[in-house]
Amino acid sequence: MQNFDLNTLVRKNIIALKPYSSARDEFKGEAEVYLDANENPYPSGYNRYPDPLQWKVKELLAQQKEVKAEQIFLGNGSDEAIDLLIRVFCEPNQDSVMITEPTYGMYRVCANINAVAIQNVLLTKDYQLDTEGILKAVTPNTKIIFLCSPNNPTGNLLSVDDISKVLNNFSGLVVVDEAYIDFAGDVSLIKELKKYPNLVILQTFSKAWGLAGLRLGMCFASEAIINLLNKVKYPYNVNIKTQELAAEALLNADSKDRAVAEILSERGQLVDTLNQIPFVIKVYPSDANFVLVAIENASVTYQKLMQQGIIVRDRSTVVLCESSLRITIGTPEENKKLINSLKQI
Ligand SMILES: *Cc1c(COP(=O)(O)O)cnc(C)c1O
């Protein structure tokens, strides 16, 4: 990255901010009697506040991801990290973020909420980065470039060479959203964090880990960037139950791996079957737990599936996804029902 300087990227008020100091920030040891947080002393399982920095979960993650626990931020879904990154780095009504549509909708929504402008450089026709277009569009006010790999809703990994080109030639933050990385093999860019101080990686417990209902997202970056996110987050942003269940899940990672293997095998079969359906125009290659399918009369097909109780995502109004449905890989039974319903249309 060119001339990366974290301090000039961060909003001035955030540098100056004196963060809220909770009872658990001010006393971190083990004690016999806790009378410092106005909690109810009678045990309910949840009468005490949670660890504000979720160290137990982070230690387990640090081992598995081979980073320092201090390089991890945990939030109420990855969506919290997306929002915090924009709030920490982008001055409202002045700065901008770059996105590459078609992509995940939350980058645009979070920028809009924070009155941060959006620069949209479309993906190419084969859903890869237009690196030249991206680098040309950068202005001194472009603070963050959001990339999503594997990309939602197209399903494909972005070329690592292209991502490196952006990292090497942009002096702001490059956020790579790896929500679906567990379905793509051993290709996470986490190992590149040592090389790129401007790289931020997002992952989540919502997809491969099967814990969407808990709301737990992960952000990996330099300690300096993580410290900034911690400074701004709500003091107790991840509840006790979520921390306990996430730690349990991390100790049983093989169960996640088994689910991923099954979903990938189902994906292969579903793609083969979809390709045999006459009104399917194209099944796009997927590195995720869903497939984007170009289909004749996509919206009509969406409605007909819905009438049979099968809900997929109609993406036919999304740029470069015209006439496409996004279909999540379900259980073998669910996928069979989908195929049977499609064949009846
Ligand atoms: C599903 C998804 C997420 C997950 O968001 P959470 O808030 O962690 O549930 C993040 N990014 C992308 C691209 C997604 O598709």
Side-chain angles (χ1 to χ4, degrees), residues 74-208:
L74 295 175
N76 187 352
S78 330
D79 295 341
E80 181 178 358
I82 295 168
D83 184 53
L84 286 180
L85 284 161
I86 292 178
R87 280 161 55 201
V88 166
F89 291 96
C90 301
E91 198 60 47
N93 301 309
Q94 176 184 313
D95 290 332
S96 59
V97 299
M98 198 178 292
I99 61 174
T100 62
E101 288 183 337
T103 193
Y104 187 47
M106 277 306 284
Y107 318 133
R108 179 179 276 281
V109 172
C110 284
N112 282 338
I113 290 170
N114 291 295
V116 166
I118 291 156
Q119 300 174 275
N120 182 18
V121 177
L122 292 185
L123 293 176
T124 61
K125 282 203 173 61
D126 54 354
Y127 299 144
Q128 290 296 326
L129 296 177
D130 169 10
T131 48
E132 208 173 302
I134 288 172
L135 294 173
K136 253 193 221 151
V138 166
T139 75
N141 289 327
T142 311
K143 294 299 179 74
I144 305 177
I145 301 178
F146 283 100
L147 307 177
C148 187
S149 180
N151 186 42
N152 178 5
T154 60
N156 60 292
L157 282 164
L158 300 177
S159 137
V160 176
D161 284 350
D162 288 349
I163 297 176
S164 303
K165 215 175 275 173
V166 176
L167 279 162
N168 280 318
N169 293 288
F170 175 56
S171 53
L173 293 189
V174 179
V175 177
V176 181
D177 187 343
E178 296 186 337
Y180 299 97
I181 201 70
D182 297 271
F183 301 103
D186 186 21
V187 292
S188 170
L189 292 182
I190 284 188
K191 56 189 177 305
E192 302 293 316
L193 285 172
K194 282 194 191 86
K195 188 167 160 197
Y196 296 109
N198 59 337
L199 174 60
V200 177
I201 308 244
L202 302 179
Q203 292 185 5
T204 180
F205 282 86
S206 297
K207 308 285 157 61

